[in-house]
């Protein structure tokens, strides 16, 4: 669907050259919600603007449905952009136009006849949950309603791709969840490919199928959301995961729960998908002559299933502890022995 090859953007200044995007290559499947996350200055907003050439790339290619966007003339690019919708952090609405007229605007530019335009606009207003607000102006809308107008306007030309540049960062948490639910619904109903740019791991967790982590213009890690959450490889990804799982990488907090005992072992268990719902601890206690002390844990949902982390102390004979951890591993649960806690 989307193939990005060696994409780079170099800004030249008097004193230095700055690579905002540095040799990024990604493949995005049709119909998936793909997240791109990074801290401020990572290059993610420049990256998304390169996809539809709101910024001109210094190097590389962007292919959408086998069309090389980076090689199009201005006239052909204008036509191709009609199939690439975009929503922004600060809505970018026309303040002198009503909800209806804001959504109709791209259809007017495309030369769509008035009757067809009306049918499309009313359909989109209902899709994004703004029925009854057709004649309201942006100043009369809440932040969430403004973003719903932005989404409807981006969908007006029936795009294949929807680019979302920090689309929820100006919204409160409850409204953010509402907008994310709407995007998931649109993705499922229209089989629309969505690229989400964000600095919020909650957004990635809630709706994305796969994710790329950016730092200093480079993609430092990418893969399925569950894989990145459970086994973050880069320093940047680990910091983001810690935002949602404060237990991660804070093993010093376990000290207060643990009694130093030669006959005990502290382990971290990773549960993924259906394993997160299993009564594994009960099963272990029944099977082995071992004492299990639950120290702390958490479980989180993602678009691809739930994942959980559980820290436990196993107390018993050394060989029994070894048999227990082996049994847990064969049950499909990842086990990590925490040697440096005690």
């Amino acid at each position: 669907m989307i193939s990005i090859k060696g994409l780079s953007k170099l800004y030249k200044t008097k004193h230095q050259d700055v690579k905002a995007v540095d040799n990024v290559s990604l493949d995005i499947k049709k119909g998936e919600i793909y997240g791109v996350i990074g801290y401020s200055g990572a290059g993610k907003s420049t990256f998304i603007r390169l996809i539809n050439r709101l910024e001109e790339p210094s190097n590389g290619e962007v292919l959408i449905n086998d069309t090389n966007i980076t090689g199009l003339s201005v006239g052909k690019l204008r036509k191709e952009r009609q199939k690439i919708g975009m929503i922004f952090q600060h809505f970018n609405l026309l303040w002198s136009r009503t909800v209806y007229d804001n959504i109709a605007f791209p259809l007017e530019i495309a030369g769509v006849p008035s009757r067809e335009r009306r049918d499309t606009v009313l359909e989109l207003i209902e899709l994004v949950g703004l029925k009854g607000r057709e004649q309201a102006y942006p100043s009369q809308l809440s932040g969430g309603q403004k973003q719903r107008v932005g989404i409807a306007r981006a969908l007006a030309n029936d795009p294949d791709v929807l680019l979302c540049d920090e689309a929820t960062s100006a919204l409160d948490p409850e409204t953010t969840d509402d907008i994310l639910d709407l995007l998931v619904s649109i993705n499922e109903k229209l089989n629309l490919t969505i690229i989400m740019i964000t600095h919020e791991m909650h957004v990635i967790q809630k709706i994305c199928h796969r994710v790329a982590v950016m730092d200093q213009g480079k993609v430092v890690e990418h893969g399925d959301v569950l894989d990145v959450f459970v086994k973050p490889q880069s320093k940047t990804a680990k910091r983001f995961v810690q935002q949602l799982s404060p237990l991660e990488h804070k093993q010093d907090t376990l000290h207060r729960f643990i009694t130093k005992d030669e006959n005990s072992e502290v382990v971290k268990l990773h549960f993924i998908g259906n394993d997160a719902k299993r009564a594994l601890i009960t099963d272990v206690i029944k099977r082995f002559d071992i004492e299990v002390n639950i120290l702390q844990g958490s479980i989180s949902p993602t678009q691809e299933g739930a994942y959980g982390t559980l820290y436990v102390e196993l107390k018993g004979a050394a060989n029994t502890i070894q048999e227990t951890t082996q049994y847990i591993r064969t049950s499909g649960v990842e086990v990590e022995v925490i040697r440096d806690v005690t």
Side-chain angles (χ1 to χ4, degrees), residues 28-29 31-35 180 183-185 187-188 192-196 207-211 225 303:
I28 298 169
K29 301 172 187 175
E32 78 174 332
I33 304 177
Y34 197 99
L180 294 178
L183 289 172
V184 170
S185 175
N187 167 256
E188 292 172 350
L192 184 67
T193 304
I194 299 177
I195 302 178
M196 290 288 301
I207 72 168
C208 295
H209 302 105
R210 292 193 296 151
V211 61
V225 168
Q303 187 77 336

Side-chain angles (χ1 to χ4, degrees), residues 222-235:
H222 64 93
D224 293 342
V225 168
L226 267 177
D227 290 341
V228 173
F229 267 64
V230 174
K231 294 181 180 180
Q233 302 298 311
S234 65
K235 183 178 178 181

Side-chain angles (χ1 to χ4, degrees), residues 40-292:
S40 180
K44 55 191 186 298
S45 288
T46 302
F47 166 71
I48 202 170
R49 292 168 67 87
L50 291 172
I51 293 175
N52 61 359
R53 279 179 59 188
L54 287 178
E55 293 275 359
E56 288 293 338
S58 303
N59 289 295
E61 294 181 338
V62 177
L63 287 84
I64 301 178
N65 291 329
D66 297 323
T67 298
N68 188 349
I69 301 298
T70 46
L72 295 177
S73 64
V74 173
K76 290 182 178 178
L77 175 62
R78 188 178 298 115
K79 184 176 181 181
E80 198 64 31
R81 275 186 182 148
Q82 293 179 6
K83 293 298 182 180
I84 309 172
M86 189 165 187
I87 57 177
F88 304 87
Q89 178 180 357
H90 296 297
F91 321 124
N92 285 17
L93 302 181
L94 299 169
W95 293 89
S96 61
R97 283 178 169 246
T98 63
V99 168
Y100 181 99
D101 290 334
N102 263 282
I103 299 169
F105 185 62
L107 295 170
E108 293 173 18
I109 293 175
V112 176
S114 59
R115 183 180 293 274
E116 184 181 341
R117 191 163 69 228
R118 179 179 181 277
D119 291 343
T120 299
V121 171
L122 293 179
E123 183 180 333
L124 288 169
I125 284 173
E126 186 159 355
L127 177 68
V128 301
L130 286 176
K131 193 171 182 179
R133 303 293 285 162
E134 294 89 339
Q135 299 308 313
Y137 288 88
S139 61
Q140 299 171 309
L141 302 177
S142 67
Q145 289 172 327
K146 290 172 188 171
Q147 196 56 286
R148 288 173 186 269
V149 177
I151 292 170
R153 182 184 59 187
L155 297 176
N157 281 315
D158 190 24
D160 298 320
V161 180
L162 180 62
L163 307 179
C164 305
D165 188 7
E166 298 280 10
T168 60
S169 61
L171 307 175
D172 62 75
E174 185 176 352
T175 306
T176 291
D177 281 345
D178 289 343
I179 294 299
L180 294 178
D181 288 340
L182 175 60
L183 289 172
V184 170
S185 175
I186 289 169
N187 167 256
E188 292 172 350
K189 288 178 182 176
L190 306 180
N191 195 31
L192 184 67
T193 304
I194 299 177
I195 302 178
M196 290 288 301
I197 299 295
T198 184
H199 64 275
E200 300 171 291
M201 202 61 173
H202 166 71
V203 172
I204 302 296
Q205 175 196 25
K206 187 173 176 66
I207 72 168
C208 295
H209 302 105
R210 292 193 296 151
V211 61
V213 182
M214 287 192 72
D215 185 32
Q216 297 183 345
K218 295 178 179 289
V219 171
V220 295
E221 186 168 350
H222 64 93
D224 293 342
V225 168
L226 267 177
D227 290 341
V228 173
F229 267 64
V230 174
K231 294 181 180 180
Q233 302 298 311
S234 65
K235 183 178 178 181
T236 305
K238 289 176 181 177
R239 288 175 64 194
F240 276 118
V241 170
Q242 189 177 335
Q243 291 178 7
L244 291 179
S245 302
L247 306 182
E248 296 293 322
H249 316 298
K250 291 190 176 181
Q251 296 168 1
D252 57 304
T253 61
L254 296 172
H255 280 293
R256 70 191 68 177
F257 301 114
I258 300 170
T259 59
K260 292 185 178 180
D261 190 334
E262 292 181 358
N263 296 318
S264 74
E265 193 86 84
V266 176
V267 298
K268 179 168 71 172
L269 309 180
H270 282 305
F271 301 83
I272 304 174
N274 291 331
D275 288 327
K277 302 176 183 178
R278 289 181 52 201
L280 180 64
I281 300 302
T282 302
D283 187 20
V284 165
I285 293 171
K286 287 179 178 179
R287 285 177 177 269
F288 299 96
D289 182 18
I290 199 162
E291 195 177 315
V292 180

